[in-house]
Amino acid sequence: MKVALSTASVYPETTAAAFEMAGRLGYDGVEVMVWTDPVSQDIPGLRRLADQYGVPVLAVHAPCLLITQRVWSTDPWIKLQRARSAAEQLGASTVVVHPPFRWQRGYARDFVRGVWRMADETDVRFAVENMYPWRYRDREMLAYAPGWDPTDDDYRHFTIDLSHTSTARTDTLAMLDRMGDRLGHVHIADGSGSAKDEHLVPGRGSQPCAEVLGHLAGSGFTGHVVVEVNTRRAMSSAEREADLAEALAYTRRHLAAAPHRR
């Protein structure tokens, strides 16, 4: 089982910096978050970085964020087509995609069927990621359609993100059970149940990170585990690197421990 570094984990440093850190720390590869950094959108440039630092691209995260609405077109289906093409060219096994925003009505209406169609056209996995309700004070807004919990719908593959389960205040292990053998990809992070999407280093919050990793080790999981943490508060590159080293050590330690059979 390979442990990769999400390039989002080094923000505000660059995509190129993520490859360099992943190589130096001993990660097995990277997940490229496609966003406004031009390098993250440049397939030949990403291939050169993978070769230079010896860290393959294992997954591509399609540009689904609010800040990436104009990256690779404003048409969300074109975004997914380009993400699939990037994964195929880079040798990545997985495209990570979020459920649509509710205001993307046409896209949301056809999303489940459309993801199945695209998955039928390639060997690349389209793994739909769990999200969370948006909260302000005591009010909750459902920002995603068909919904923030992808297990309510029929997808071939899922991504589980443990920071998102924390923000949603949902039962992580129950969601893992619902995903079952359709779990294709994991974003390992932590959270304390805050309304903010925290992406803490695993072990620093209240999520059952160790149990999830132990379950993966004992369940025949064939996907990748991606460290996707927030290091924006790091005061230096060295402090950021220390957080990423801690996250990698934690993940490998619990993947190697006696598996939790659930």
Side-chain angles (χ1 to χ4, degrees):
M1 200 180 309
K2 293 182 177 179
V3 181
L5 177 67
S6 169
T7 59
S9 297
V10 307
Y11 182 83
E13 295 193 55
T14 64
T15 301
F19 276 85
E20 192 270 335
M21 284 191 192
R24 187 165 63 252
L25 294 173
Y27 279 85
D28 298 311
V30 300
E31 175 180 305
V32 173
M33 172 68 79
V34 180
W35 66 298
T36 54
D37 181 351
V39 174
S40 73
Q41 306 169 33
D42 177 8
I43 309 309
L46 292 170
R47 191 181 294 115
R48 286 192 295 272
L49 287 169
D51 291 342
Q52 179 180 354
Y53 295 109
V55 281
V57 178
L58 301 181
V60 174
H61 195 307
C64 309
L65 307 176
L66 283 172
I67 65 169
T68 60
Q69 293 301 290
R70 295 186 176 277
V71 172
W72 278 359
S73 171
T74 56
D75 184 329
W77 291 116
I78 292 177
K79 291 174 182 283
L80 293 193
Q81 291 166 6
R82 293 190 64 173
R84 178 185 65 192
S85 177
E88 291 170 342
Q89 292 179 66
L90 293 166
S93 63
T94 304
V95 168
V96 179
V97 57
H98 292 180
F101 293 112
R102 294 189 72 85
W103 56 84
Q104 296 174 304
R105 294 181 181 177
Y107 178 47
R109 188 165 49 247
D110 195 41
F111 183 69
V112 178
R113 293 187 299 271
V115 169
W116 271 99
R117 284 196 303 269
M118 296 192 73
D120 284 338
E121 297 168 356
T122 181
D123 291 332
V124 174
R125 294 174 171 179
F126 279 85
V128 182
E129 185 173 3
N130 61 299
M131 298 305 291
Y132 46 84
W134 290 4
R135 293 188 181 91
Y136 178 70
R137 295 181 180 173
D138 295 328
R139 302 184 65 182
E140 185 174 287
M141 182 176 79
L142 300 179
Y144 299 95
W148 60 265
D149 183 351
T151 64
D152 290 338
D153 294 285
D154 181 27
Y155 299 107
R156 182 174 293 172
H157 291 109
F158 298 109
T159 296
I160 192 168
D161 183 304
L162 272 69
S163 178
H164 295 176
T165 55
S166 174
T167 305
R169 299 170 188 166
T170 192
D171 185 327
T172 303
L173 299 176
M175 178 174 284
L176 192 69
D177 285 342
R178 292 196 300 275
M179 290 181 173
D181 60 8
R182 289 186 291 171
L183 177 66
H185 200 66
V186 175
H187 284 167
I188 191 70
D190 214 333
S192 63
S194 167
K196 296 180 179 179
D197 185 16
E198 296 172 291
H199 283 277
L200 304 177
V201 170
R204 296 184 184 177
S206 57
Q207 286 296 289
C209 297
E211 187 168 354
V212 168
L213 293 168
H215 169 77
L216 298 177
S219 66
F221 177 67
T222 60
H224 303 311
V225 179
V226 177
V227 169
E228 189 181 80
V229 296
N230 184 347
T231 62
R232 296 175 196 175
R233 294 186 178 181
M235 300 301 292
S236 65
S237 184
E239 185 177 332
R240 174 169 293 110
E241 189 170 316
D243 283 346
L244 299 179
E246 179 184 331
L248 175 62
Y250 180 100
T251 301
R252 285 196 171 142
R253 181 169 68 253
H254 288 287
L255 285 174
H260 296 269
R261 297 191 178 275
R262 289 171 41 71

